[in-house]
Amino acid sequence: MNAMLRLLDGLLKRLLVGLMAAIVLVVCWQVFSRHVLASPSSMTEEIARCLLLWIGMLGAAFAYRTGQHLGLDIVVRKFRPQVQQVIAMVLTALVVLFALAVMVLGGGALVQLTLELNQMSASLGIPVGWIYSVIPLAGLFIAFYGLCQLRSLWHGEALPQPEGID
């Protein structure tokens, strides 16, 4: 399980770094072509929007993995440690169910619908379903990370943090 976790962590980190580099390059080109060449590129705005969607969804999965997501634990801290563990397990199970039901099933249905309707992006000319495919993908990442967290909570052990994350 830990080997699979390390593999997915590394894959997700590299993918996010690549996407961030790509959006920086795309936006810099847009600014350069608009202000220096006086001929803005027609595709860069849509590429940046798509990259932002992918970065946001996959970044949310990685934030969940590293525990950097938004969490309100003020009330939970008032309970005994044993009760805190039970609450953490219930909340983690709810996150897994949400990721599977809304992101994987619902996002998968959205992808399927846009592909069936043959919706194409305006500037890029690619199927919108490919762009939206990040929703079920991020849901799978979140569900997997949640299941790993549940396993760790059940066994009373800490989930290893990704390499390079403090």
Side-chain angles (χ1 to χ4, degrees):
M1 179 73 88
N2 285 344
M4 179 68 128
L5 196 59
R6 281 192 302 276
L7 177 72
L8 286 178
D9 287 345
L11 174 72
L12 193 53
K13 281 195 302 187
R14 285 182 186 86
L15 183 58
L16 283 167
V17 166
L19 291 172
M20 289 295 291
I23 198 169
V24 167
L25 291 174
V26 166
V27 171
C28 286
W29 175 251
Q30 174 66 15
V31 170
F32 179 78
S33 67
R34 179 181 304 266
H35 294 290
V36 175
L37 301 178
S39 176
S41 174
S42 62
M43 296 172 42
T44 53
E45 183 180 340
E46 191 168 350
I47 293 171
R49 204 175 319 125
C50 295
L51 287 171
L52 191 60
L53 174 67
W54 276 69
I55 292 166
M57 296 302 294
L58 294 175
F62 195 70
Y64 180 71
R65 163 67 175 105
T66 59
Q68 301 299 314
H69 56 85
L70 179 63
L72 301 174
D73 60 350
I74 295 170
V75 176
V76 176
R77 288 187 194 172
K78 302 221 183 263
F79 292 102
R80 295 185 325 267
Q82 296 85 0
V83 177
Q84 288 180 11
Q85 183 177 1
V86 171
I87 292 171
M89 289 179 75
V90 169
L91 294 177
T92 303
L94 289 173
V95 167
V96 170
L97 289 174
F98 176 85
L100 291 174
V102 175
M103 296 179 75
V104 175
L105 294 177
L110 174 67
V111 169
Q112 182 181 2
L113 179 65
T114 57
L115 289 174
E116 286 174 1
L117 294 175
N118 201 25
Q119 290 183 353
M120 304 295 278
S121 70
S123 296
L124 300 175
I126 62 172
V128 175
W130 290 4
I131 298 166
Y132 290 162
S133 65
V134 72
I135 299 169
L137 178 63
L140 287 173
F141 273 110
I142 291 171
F144 176 75
Y145 288 144
L147 290 172
C148 290
Q149 182 67 29
L150 275 174
R151 182 179 175 272
S152 292
L153 288 168
W154 182 261
H155 289 64
E157 57 192 31
L159 192 63
Q161 284 298 309
E163 293 177 16
I165 304 294
D166 294 328

